[in-house]
Amino acid sequence: MHSLIIFASGRGSNAQAIIDYFSTDNDVEVALIVSNKKDAGVLQIAADNNIPSLIIGRDEFNSIDLIEKLKAYKPSLIVLAGFLWKVPEGFVKAFAGKIINIHPALLPSYGGKGMYGHHVHEAVIAAKEKESGITIHYVDEVYDNGRIIVQARCTVKYVDTPDTLAQSIHKLEHFFFPRTIEYLLKAN
Ligand code: GRF
């Protein structure tokens, strides 16, 4: 059995896509959802799917306590799905090679601090890029820097707004994120 822990700060559409994808797979379980925001939509998704959830503060994120708590789930992967805090070094070391993130652009472009959500799509459109996409990558101590696992592309249409581009990006994410997780869990 593979156990996944999902970290998310927002509405949680990626978490939902991952839960749905593995709902018929007896070998993969979303064991816990962690959020840094009390009112994050992802917490409702956890409740609706009977998945335990945990809300953390900054101090806890830096604590050995949290690492111990999460190790008890024996996670095969820790999946950051729209989680906005930088991951502390101690946490990265504790789960070395097991933390992955999804970024809504083609890294190394449009990454780094402050580059999240609509900021990314606004910057891509302002730069008149012809394409954008998603990057699924390992997490290390530097924002949006870890080794790239998968990228998928979409065209940026001249009529695109940050909102319509975000919709195209979400479609890519919902398709590729669960399947990439499956590949990482089962192909090795
Ligand atoms: C996604 O676009 C992801 O790439 C980014 O944050 C967004 C989260 O969306 N890191 P959702 O909460 O999964 O709907």
Side-chain angles (χ1 to χ4, degrees):
M1 167 66 86
H2 289 290
S3 145
L4 302 175
I5 296 178
I6 298 178
F7 275 59
S9 306
R11 94 187 150 105
S13 70
N14 278 284
Q16 183 73 68
I18 294 165
I19 293 165
D20 289 347
Y21 187 80
F22 290 112
S23 63
T24 53
D25 185 331
N26 293 329
D27 294 331
V28 182
E29 176 192 43
V30 178
L32 179 69
I33 294 188
V34 180
S35 186
N36 59 325
K37 285 210 176 143
K38 279 201 244 0
D39 56 352
V42 73
L43 294 170
Q44 190 57 47
I45 291 175
D48 292 346
N49 289 277
N50 296 316
I51 297 169
S53 59
L54 182 67
I55 299 168
I56 56 165
R58 291 242 184 226
D59 290 350
E60 204 174 357
F61 201 17
N62 282 295
S63 72
I64 297 284
D65 248 29
L66 180 68
I67 291 172
E68 294 304 323
K69 220 180 262 179
L70 299 192
K71 279 200 167 160
Y73 288 89
K74 299 194 184 351
S76 298
L77 283 176
I78 293 184
V79 177
L80 310 188
F83 186 70
L84 295 181
W85 282 353
K86 185 168 183 295
V87 181
E89 218 176 301
F91 191 96
V92 171
K93 288 216 169 80
F95 297 102
K98 289 190 171 181
I99 313 173
I100 63 169
N101 180 49
I102 190 159
H103 185 78
L106 297 170
L107 291 175
S109 300
Y110 304 102
K113 199 165 164 44
M115 273 294 168
Y116 62 89
H118 65 99
H119 299 291
V120 176
H121 308 311
E122 277 165 15
V124 167
I125 287 175
K128 299 193 177 2
E129 296 286 1
K130 296 221 162 29
E131 61 175 16
S132 188
I134 63 166
T135 304
I136 299 168
H137 64 94
Y138 287 104
V139 171
D140 65 13
E141 290 83 354
V142 181
Y143 256 131
D144 297 332
N145 176 71
R147 187 156 63 85
I148 290 174
I149 304 161
V150 161
Q151 290 189 308
R153 286 156 201 278
C154 64
T155 302
V156 181
K157 299 188 274 306
Y158 79 98
V159 288
D160 263 330
T161 63
D163 277 352
T164 61
L165 180 56
Q167 284 167 23
S168 310
I169 296 282
H170 265 114
K171 275 191 199 148
L172 288 179
E173 293 185 331
H174 298 163
F175 184 84
F176 284 101
F177 208 11
R179 287 166 177 82
T180 302
I181 292 167
E182 183 178 45
Y183 172 80
L184 292 173
L185 295 177
K186 299 189 178 181
N188 300 309

